[in-house]
Amino acid sequence: MSKETLIKSIREIPDFPIPGILFYDVTTLFKDPAALQELSDTLYEMYKDKGITKVVGIESRGFIMGPILATRLGAGFIPIRKPGKLPAETIEESYDKEYGKDTVQMHKDAINENDVILLHDDLLATGGTMKAACKLVEQMSPKKVYVNFIIELKDLHGKDVFSKNVEVESVLSL
């Protein structure tokens, strides 16, 4: 299966979640066993030699490939969630996104200074959500932070919001 085939299988939904937004639905990739295997294999190949100790997935679509990748890499999985969803003590970061303001949280004891972190989410648009997630992770002073997306919307220049010491990659570019 090629990247072009993966791109063609992504469903586009206009005006979701609000008018003017074109939503790229990756659930069409997840329901196809061949596409899901291709994504898993591609992500594994990208990060297998990086020493990743924890994969951090962002609610909610980062919870799909994140644990799959963590299992393949022999790493732990850490969720970043919306407020009020995590039971233990948390840290949080608020941010602006394309169509509003939001906050993300993570357990305060999720990461330590010996960890090599891979942050994962489905889509890079303007980068607000992932930048907030990076700030949360960086508060815990891990050895290294990598950032990954299934899809990058290149015309929105989301990579520009990240510091130079964070390696940002995506599987597909649209």
Side-chain angles (χ1 to χ4, degrees), residues 90-101:
T90 61
I91 56 174
E92 70 178 35
E93 188 71 34
S94 294
Y95 63 99
D96 293 319
K97 58 185 190 176
E98 305 87 80
Y99 41 85
K101 190 169 185 71

Side-chain angles (χ1 to χ4, degrees), residues 67-119:
I68 292 170
L69 184 56
T71 299
R72 291 204 58 195
L73 293 171
F77 177 76
I78 307 297
I80 286 186
R81 303 213 56 196
K82 294 174 182 163
K85 304 281 185 167
L86 294 170
E89 189 176 354
T90 61
I91 56 174
E92 70 178 35
E93 188 71 34
S94 294
Y95 63 99
D96 293 319
K97 58 185 190 176
E98 305 87 80
Y99 41 85
K101 190 169 185 71
D102 216 339
T103 300
V104 290
Q105 295 181 332
M106 179 173 60
H107 279 135
K108 191 174 185 176
D109 62 355
I111 294 170
N112 66 56
E113 65 279 351
N114 295 316
D115 283 321
V116 177
I117 303 300
L118 173 59
L119 276 152

